[in-house]
Amino acid sequence: MNTRATTPAPPTTGSEGDRDDSDRAWEELVTSALLGTDRRPPSVLAAATGTGVTGKGMTGMGANGPSLSGADLPGALLDAAAVHTVRRRAGLRPGSAASPLGLAPDDPRRPLPAAARRRLDQLLAGRAAPSPAAGRRGAAPDLAELLPQWLTLANERGYKAPPAALPALLDAARARTDLRPQALRLAGPRGLWLAGLNPEWRFALRGTGAAGRLPSPGDAEGVGLLWDEGLFAERVALLAAVRTEDAAAGLALLASTWSGERAEDRLMFLDSLRAGLSDADEEFLEAALGDRSRNVRATAAELLSALPASAFAGRMAGRAATCVGLDRTAQSPTISVEAPHECDAAMQGDGLVPTPPAGRGERSWWLGQLVEAAPLSCWPARFGGRTPEEIVALPVADDWQGELHAAWCRAAVRQRDASWSRALLGAPAIPPATGPGTSSLAERAQLLATLPADERARWVAAFVAAHGLSEAFQLLGVCAVPWAEPLGAAVIDALDIARDAGSYPWSFSGVMGLAERCLAPEAARQLESLTALPDEEEDTAPGAGGYWSEAFQRLVSTLRLRAAMHAELTGTDTDTDTDTDTES
């Protein structure tokens, strides 16, 4: 008898108890199959096949016919499993229909030219490759490092991302936080709409990623609603946007909820006042000096010190003048220093931190805070009308020069004072260890950032020509891209000299990577002669010639690729696409 054909199937709908019984039967069949029917004969076979089971090696009479013997159990188990499989499939209930997706918002920006669209696909595919380690070989450009420049240029030209590229673009932004602002700007409103459908892309709806969803600074109702109810990152982005558009409105927005904000949030919000900082912010910042958070007080003091006409700056100038002055009793003009002997309540109320970090003396710690917070404009009068260069050149008594000059460096960076930065930097040909202001390359890089871009490039070019590239990496990083002449030529000449000197080529892999991103594309012509494989001298590192040749080839190919990217995005490329976006 074909019991499978005559056994009635369960209905497709039924009570919860019927479904539970079916699930338990299936689990018992699976358990028996795993353990073996001789060790675990399933009791459900009788119901499934219309027979009884009496145990291993035994037969008997079941309710519907002869009982199964132990030898029949494996086959019966498979028959029962087949029946239950059909029942389970037939009894599945369809899921609820999902609501149809709404239409993606329109993006009025113009579409990419065809060549630029293909280039974007290439860069997005290349960014998924593993990042090459330092000293990588081969002449192929690193596409992952070219993607940020491409995104920046495309956004400057007002293009929008092709709809088909949005998933890969969002994946790239998820993997690299440094890409997010530019990638999400290119993705536009459609990218934000798509991000709402995938939990892995939810980052795009927060912080800088949500900038495309921020209300206009002129939309008072929308700004107020998001400020009151938005996520913290959204509120930070909103405050920055409003502050950029209208500094007074941004300050008023922050003041409206200041007293109720958490300390860590107040710190982040206060930092946003750096944009558009002016004397109009003084009253608010003076009040913030009394904040219960030490970090908030310190940030408020730092911002006030960048306002030379503020009352805070005047108080600091008065304190600093009692500590630093001109010793007229010495044979030659000398700066005398008398560091504070205490950090009193008034000083702490102005944001000075009384406890120094480990390994730092109290008096030098207090002196440094006073001098860096004092306006630099107070010192020429204090030193008899001398210029910043003349003041920095004066000897300092009692080994206080390092501490005093370091504080002046921090003040020049904080107050963005180019004249003091020039004085503290000194001539680029002077050895760093004997410079007039600081021997720290990190501090020199910060000072350089306060100078105009062309002056910065000339100073670093002269530094590279005098000292080579081994100490110039940090300085190169603060120069505007692409490197203006004569900086580009100085870097190429220094690389050529390093190669001819038999230097280890991997020592310059960082500079090479920087040159690929920062040299002007026109420099490829100057580099052509360096791509040939040089003859190896006895005193050179083994294989160095091949490495240098590959490195210069990679540099040339990268610069040419950057030139092609620029041509494709600026419309000078012949392969352009004038069709409208039909995927809207």
Side-chain angles (χ1 to χ4, degrees):
M1 177 182 295
N2 188 343
T3 57
R4 287 172 292 178
T6 58
T7 302
T12 57
T13 61
S15 66
E16 197 69 32
D18 293 338
R19 291 195 297 273
D20 291 344
D21 290 342
S22 177
D23 290 340
R24 282 195 294 270
W26 177 255
E27 291 175 0
E28 186 174 350
L29 289 171
V30 173
T31 302
S32 296
L34 293 173
L35 297 178
T37 54
D38 55 340
R39 298 176 58 190
R40 184 72 175 269
S43 60
V44 296
L45 290 184
T49 62
T51 61
V53 180
T54 61
K56 181 180 180 181
M58 300 179 64
T59 60
M61 184 63 66
N64 300 310
S67 299
L68 292 172
S69 67
D72 298 327
L73 287 176
L77 174 66
L78 295 178
D79 287 343
V83 171
H84 273 279
T85 298
V86 174
R87 285 176 175 172
R88 288 165 64 85
R89 290 175 178 173
L92 288 177
R93 292 183 175 182
S96 302
S99 301
L101 294 176
L103 294 176
D106 185 38
D107 190 341
R109 296 175 297 175
R110 56 179 177 163
L112 285 166
R117 190 165 63 242
R118 291 193 295 269
R119 183 72 66 194
L120 175 61
D121 292 339
Q122 178 191 26
L123 295 175
L124 289 173
R127 71 96 195 164
S131 297
R136 60 190 173 97
R137 301 301 298 265
D142 184 359
L143 298 181
E145 293 304 318
L146 292 178
L147 182 57
Q149 287 192 13
W150 188 97
L151 291 171
T152 300
L153 184 57
N155 285 323
E156 289 174 353
R157 301 289 296 176
Y159 289 116
K160 63 180 176 181
L166 288 176
L169 193 61
L170 289 171
D171 280 339
R174 179 170 65 92
R176 286 181 57 177
T177 55
D178 62 309
L179 290 178
R180 289 182 183 178
Q182 294 293 343
L184 295 175
R185 181 180 170 188
L186 184 72
R190 286 185 171 183
L192 295 177
W193 172 84
L194 187 62
L197 305 178
N198 185 348
E200 293 186 349
W201 298 332
R202 291 295 173 87
F203 70 88
L205 307 179
R206 303 188 296 269
T208 55
R213 301 173 64 246
L214 295 176
S216 168
D219 179 7
E221 182 178 356
V223 168
L225 182 63
L226 184 59
W227 182 251
D228 292 335
E229 301 179 3
L231 299 173
F232 171 68
E234 291 175 327
R235 299 178 72 210
V236 171
L238 175 65
L239 180 60
V242 174
R243 179 75 176 176
T244 301
E245 184 75 16
D246 186 341
L251 180 63
L253 185 66
L254 177 56
S256 66
T257 60
W258 176 259
S259 60
E261 303 289 355
R262 300 181 304 167
E264 55 268 31
D265 294 352
R266 293 198 304 275
L267 181 63
M268 290 292 294
F269 289 143
L270 194 63
D271 197 65
S272 68
L273 296 185
R274 297 181 190 277
L277 184 67
S278 69
D279 293 335
D281 303 315
E282 181 182 356
E283 182 179 355
F284 181 85
L285 294 173
E286 278 282 352
L289 286 175
D291 196 271
R292 56 187 180 273
S293 167
R294 185 182 68 181
N295 291 332
V296 172
R297 295 195 301 270
T299 301
E302 180 183 346
L303 293 174
L304 281 168
S305 68
L307 299 174
S310 66
F312 171 88
R315 295 193 298 271
M316 287 300 183
R319 293 185 180 114
T322 64
C323 298
V324 181
L326 192 62
D327 184 0
R328 302 183 184 277
T329 64
Q331 293 182 351
S332 60
T334 302
I335 297 177
S336 63
V337 176
E338 181 65 29
H341 291 275
E342 66 172 341
C343 185
D344 57 30
M347 293 166 65
Q348 295 182 44
D350 277 338
L352 267 71
V353 179
T355 305
R360 186 79 179 273
E362 284 186 334
R363 297 184 66 197
S364 64
W365 171 244
W366 299 332
L367 175 70
Q369 293 182 83
L370 285 178
V371 173
E372 71 176 288
L376 290 166
S377 57
C378 74
W379 296 115
R382 181 67 175 163
F383 291 105
R386 288 177 170 85
T387 65
E389 287 80 3
E390 293 170 335
I391 295 173
V392 171
L394 290 174
V396 182
D398 301 326
D399 296 326
W400 283 105
Q401 178 171 315
E403 184 65 48
L404 182 61
H405 284 189
W408 277 336
C409 285
R410 296 192 296 272
V413 172
R414 182 183 294 184
Q415 299 172 35
R416 311 295 297 174
D417 193 309
S419 61
W420 273 87
S421 293
R422 294 186 190 99
L424 292 162
L425 280 167
I430 298 175
T434 59
T438 175
S439 61
S440 167
L441 290 173
E443 289 181 344
R444 286 191 164 197
Q446 292 176 331
L447 292 170
L448 279 168
T450 67
L451 302 181
D454 56 344
E455 182 180 357
R456 202 182 315 161
R458 290 194 301 271
W459 197 97
V460 177
F463 183 92
V464 170
H467 309 294
L469 291 169
S470 58
E471 296 183 343
F473 185 78
Q474 286 180 289
L475 306 181
L476 290 168
V478 299
C479 293
V481 177
W483 288 335
E485 293 302 338
L487 180 55
V491 170
I492 294 174
D493 290 343
L495 288 171
D496 190 15
I497 292 171
R499 182 191 64 166
D500 292 342
S503 301
Y504 287 101
W506 43 88
S507 301
F508 298 91
S509 57
V511 175
M512 275 291 191
L514 202 58
E516 291 174 15
R517 300 188 296 273
C518 302
L519 272 175
E522 295 78 14
R525 292 190 297 270
Q526 186 179 350
L527 288 160
E528 280 287 358
S529 61
L530 303 180
T531 60
L533 184 65
D535 297 329
E536 291 194 3
E537 305 293 338
E538 294 183 0
D539 56 346
T540 60
Y547 180 97
W548 280 111
S549 176
E550 287 182 357
F552 283 122
Q553 291 175 30
R554 182 170 61 248
L555 181 54
V556 169
S557 61
T558 301
L559 294 178
R560 288 176 173 167
L561 180 55
R562 284 175 51 205
M565 286 165 38
H566 187 275
E568 294 160 0
L569 286 167
T570 55
T572 56
D573 185 77
T574 55
D575 183 12
T576 58
D577 183 10
T578 57
D579 294 339
T580 58
D581 188 354
T582 59
E583 298 177 87
S584 300

